[in-house]
């Protein structure tokens, strides 16, 4: 029988920024290639107006940047647990429920995985953050229920979940040779998730790992939040953020906040937003910034700007400054963004991360000196200030870097094999 010893089920890491799919087979890397030979599919949908079709991943970003008319949707996972998930959005002139938007993307993951595997899949283990929503168990459960509903609608018959940092722990466990007390630090696009787990080669095949998981925790802080703060502190002042009104009050910030947040960028283009800004312009002391904002809106350049901010964040993990040219908006417009500015902008977020780690250790009854290993995964775990701030809390721990974009998907594949055979 074809692939007789392969797993029956998939593990899907539906991420805020990137997604992966794992399928466990003997002697083969578990992560499936989803686009152009790559294991990641950026969690992006572009509704191409010219050709009346949705496109996904890198191709979606390419068509958007090439100037095709249409609607770009990113950070789809951020819809889970939000009020937006119960509403519709306008796509290609038609009202599309946000749940169906999630179904389109997760359905595409299933379709691509089945094409690569050359077989259908009925069972899936989905990764989930420890908290979709902080301090709101009802909204958190609704987010998980929404994912179940979406997964069943696109054709899965059995759906279960594993915490993303636990999945990353199982991936790391497949590589170790002795017992370790490991703090998993998973910094994704939307959340920071942690687990404190006792791992060992002889524990790998156990069905019940509940006693090995000492604590889990997390906070709704991730890469898109870091992007947002960099945008607000470094870029949005060029577009009127922080401007003074004639009565000395600051210009309202809601439009800049929407522009700095991936899943709300499109709202800035709405006619009522433009009218509100035009009315506001008469009361602003210096109109240079708001006039640039109008240019950005006219060009529908919000997603382009957000991508430039994100790329700056990535560059600042290994350089001290990045020169950001904004000629697309206005000839000669540019700004130099520094790592120091970025680290200052995200300092309050890093404190939230540290507080979550401290709470995790207290809940587990483990001293900071007792942790053997810190395992970093997730795209935003590369940020030096974040790594250093967490590492400084655990003086005796060695630092291990997993596959930043693949550890969770690999761990979910291991879990899928255990659960479904």
């Amino acid at each position: 029988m074809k692939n007789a010893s392969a797993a029956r089920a998939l593990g899907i890491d539906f991420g805020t920024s990137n997604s992966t799919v794992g399928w466990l087979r003997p002697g083969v890397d578990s992560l499936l290639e989803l686009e152009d030979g790559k294991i990641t599919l950026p969690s992006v949908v572009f509704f191409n107006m010219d050709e009346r079709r949705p496109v996904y991943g890198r191709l979606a970003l390419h068509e958007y940047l090439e100037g095709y008319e249409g609607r770009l949707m990113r950070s789809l996972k951020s819809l889970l647990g939000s009020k937006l998930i119960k509403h519709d959005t306008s796509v290609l002139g038609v009202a599309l429920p946000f749940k169906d938007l999630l179904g389109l993307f997760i359905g595409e993951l299933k379709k691509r995985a089945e094409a690569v595997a050359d077989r259908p899949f009925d069972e899936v283990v989905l990764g989930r953050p420890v908290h979709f929503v902080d301090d709101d168990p009802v909204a958190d459960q609704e987010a998980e229920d929404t994912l179940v509903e979406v997964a069943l609608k696109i054709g899965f018959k059995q759906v279960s979940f594993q915490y993303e940092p636990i999945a990353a722990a199982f991936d790391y466990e497949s590589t170790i040779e002795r017992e370790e007390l490991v703090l998993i630090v998973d910094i994704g696009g939307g959340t920071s998730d942690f687990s404190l787990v006792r791992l060992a080669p002889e524990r790998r095949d156990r069905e019940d790992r509940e006693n090995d998981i000492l604590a889990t925790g997390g906070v709704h802080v991730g890469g898109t939040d870091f992007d947002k703060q960099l945008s607000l502190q470094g870029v949005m002042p060029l577009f009127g953020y922080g401007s003074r009104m004639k009565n000395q009050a600051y210009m309202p910030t809601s439009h800049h906040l929407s522009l700095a947040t991936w899943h709300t960028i499109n709202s800035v283009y709405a006619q009522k937003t433009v009218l509100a800004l035009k009315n506001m312009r008469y009361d602003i002391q210096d109109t240079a910034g708001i006039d640039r904002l109008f240019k950005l809106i006219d060009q529908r350049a919000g997603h382009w700007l957000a991508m430039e901010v994100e790329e700056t964040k990535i560059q600042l993990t290994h350089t001290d400054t990045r020169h950001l040219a904004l000629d697309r908006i206005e000839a000669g417009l540019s700004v130099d963004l520094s790592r120091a500015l970025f680290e200052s902008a995200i300092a309050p977020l890093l404190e939230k991360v540290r507080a979550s780690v401290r709470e995790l250790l207290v809940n587990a009854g483990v001293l900071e000196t007792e942790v053997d290993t810190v395992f970093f995964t997730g795209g935003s775990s590369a940020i030096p200030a974040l790594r250093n701030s967490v590492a400084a809390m655990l003086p005796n721990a060695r630092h291990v870097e997993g596959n930043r974009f693949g550890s969770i998907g690999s761990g979910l594949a291991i879990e899928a094999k255990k659960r479904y055979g």
Side-chain angles (χ1 to χ4, degrees):
M1 184 174 125
K2 190 173 185 181
N3 291 325
S5 57
R8 288 174 47 199
L10 291 176
I12 293 182
D13 175 23
F14 168 46
T16 302
S17 300
N18 292 279
S19 295
T20 61
V21 180
W23 178 39
L24 205 63
R25 297 149 291 162
V28 183
D29 188 273
S30 61
L31 293 171
L32 298 175
E33 294 179 354
L34 298 176
E35 184 181 27
D36 299 332
K38 297 180 173 64
I39 60 166
T40 56
L41 184 69
S43 303
V44 184
V45 184
F46 179 61
F47 294 93
N48 187 311
M49 188 74 77
D50 298 333
E51 299 177 16
R52 311 293 296 179
R53 61 182 171 82
V55 291
Y56 305 90
R58 293 170 186 82
L59 181 60
L61 293 169
H62 172 75
E63 290 195 5
Y64 168 77
L65 292 173
E66 284 292 299
Y68 283 87
E69 193 69 28
R71 176 93 185 265
L72 186 74
M73 307 288 285
R74 195 175 176 188
S75 291
L76 309 176
K77 189 176 181 179
S78 300
L79 294 166
L80 291 165
S82 75
K83 292 182 174 66
L84 282 175
I85 198 65
K86 297 178 181 177
H87 297 281
D88 300 345
T89 187
S90 178
V91 172
L92 303 181
V94 177
L96 178 72
F98 278 113
K99 282 184 184 178
D100 290 355
L101 175 63
L102 291 181
L104 279 173
F105 185 79
I106 298 172
E108 185 68 13
L109 291 174
K110 182 177 190 287
K111 177 181 162 187
R112 293 189 184 202
E114 290 177 338
V116 174
D118 191 26
R119 53 152 292 177
F121 290 96
D122 293 331
E123 297 96 0
V124 65
V125 177
L126 290 168
R128 59 150 293 167
V130 175
H131 302 297
F132 282 107
V133 184
D134 291 341
D135 304 318
D136 190 341
V138 173
D140 190 84
Q141 187 60 51
E142 285 179 355
E144 184 175 295
D145 292 345
T146 298
L147 265 185
V148 172
E149 183 183 335
V150 168
L152 292 174
K153 190 172 181 180
I154 63 172
F156 286 113
K157 293 183 173 60
Q158 293 192 59
V159 182
S160 59
F161 291 90
Q162 180 57 275
Y163 289 139
E164 289 157 358
I166 298 297
F170 293 156
D171 178 50
Y172 175 57
E173 188 176 47
S174 69
T175 69
I176 63 176
E177 297 178 356
R178 61 177 178 82
E179 183 171 302
E180 298 179 22
L181 181 58
V182 183
L183 173 68
I184 306 293
V185 177
D186 169 26
I187 314 295
T191 57
S192 295
D193 292 293
F194 314 100
S195 59
L196 193 64
V197 191
R198 199 169 297 285
L199 303 175
E202 60 272 16
R203 297 172 189 258
R204 288 174 194 155
D205 297 324
R206 292 182 185 175
E207 289 294 323
D208 182 6
R209 300 297 302 272
E210 188 174 344
N211 291 335
D212 295 335
I213 301 168
L214 305 189
T216 57
V219 63
H220 208 272
V221 170
T224 55
D225 300 292
F226 301 140
D227 295 345
K228 180 178 182 177
Q229 293 308 314
L230 178 58
S231 181
L232 289 173
Q233 299 305 316
V235 178
M236 287 302 150
L238 295 172
F239 298 92
Y241 181 70
S243 295
R244 292 277 190 176
M245 311 292 283
K246 289 175 181 174
N247 65 2
Q248 299 304 316
Y250 284 106
M251 175 182 176
T253 61
S254 62
H255 307 303
H256 296 102
L257 289 168
S258 293
L259 199 57
T261 307
W262 273 105
H263 63 280
T264 55
I265 289 171
N266 287 302
S267 68
V268 180
Y269 306 145
Q271 189 174 10
K272 65 179 181 180
T273 300
V274 176
L275 287 173
L277 286 167
K278 284 182 176 177
N279 289 332
M280 196 185 302
R281 185 183 185 279
Y282 296 107
D283 295 320
I284 291 179
Q285 292 181 19
D286 182 353
T287 60
I290 196 170
D291 287 342
R292 286 194 195 106
L293 183 56
F294 286 129
K295 291 178 185 176
L296 183 150
I297 291 170
D298 286 342
Q299 295 184 36
R300 301 287 174 103
H303 288 95
W304 169 82
L305 184 61
M307 280 187 262
E308 287 295 326
V309 171
E310 181 184 36
E311 180 58 28
T312 299
K313 174 193 69 178
I314 293 167
Q315 293 291 328
L316 291 177
T317 63
H318 52 81
T319 61
D320 290 331
T321 60
R322 186 188 185 213
H323 181 74
L324 180 55
L326 300 167
D327 299 86
R328 171 171 173 168
I329 310 296
E330 179 181 294
L333 184 65
S334 68
V335 63
D336 289 316
L337 298 172
S338 68
R339 184 187 288 185
L341 179 144
F342 175 53
E343 292 181 351
S344 172
I346 67 171
L349 299 179
L350 296 187
E351 180 49 40
K352 287 186 177 182
V353 169
R354 284 193 296 272
S356 187
V357 172
R358 281 194 290 268
E359 182 181 8
L360 181 88
L361 293 171
V362 170
N363 290 343
V366 169
L367 298 175
E368 295 173 345
T369 53
E370 293 178 310
V371 177
D372 298 314
T373 306
V374 184
F375 180 80
F376 290 101
T377 188
S380 293
S381 67
I383 295 171
L386 186 145
R387 294 175 79 108
N388 293 340
S389 66
V390 173
M393 299 172 66
L394 307 161
N396 297 334
R398 68 189 189 103
H399 308 147
V400 176
E401 181 162 344
N403 180 333
R404 290 208 304 272
F405 299 103
S407 289
I408 293 169
S410 295
L412 291 171
I414 292 170
E415 188 69 4
K417 172 75 169 172
K418 281 184 183 176
R419 291 186 187 181
Y420 300 110

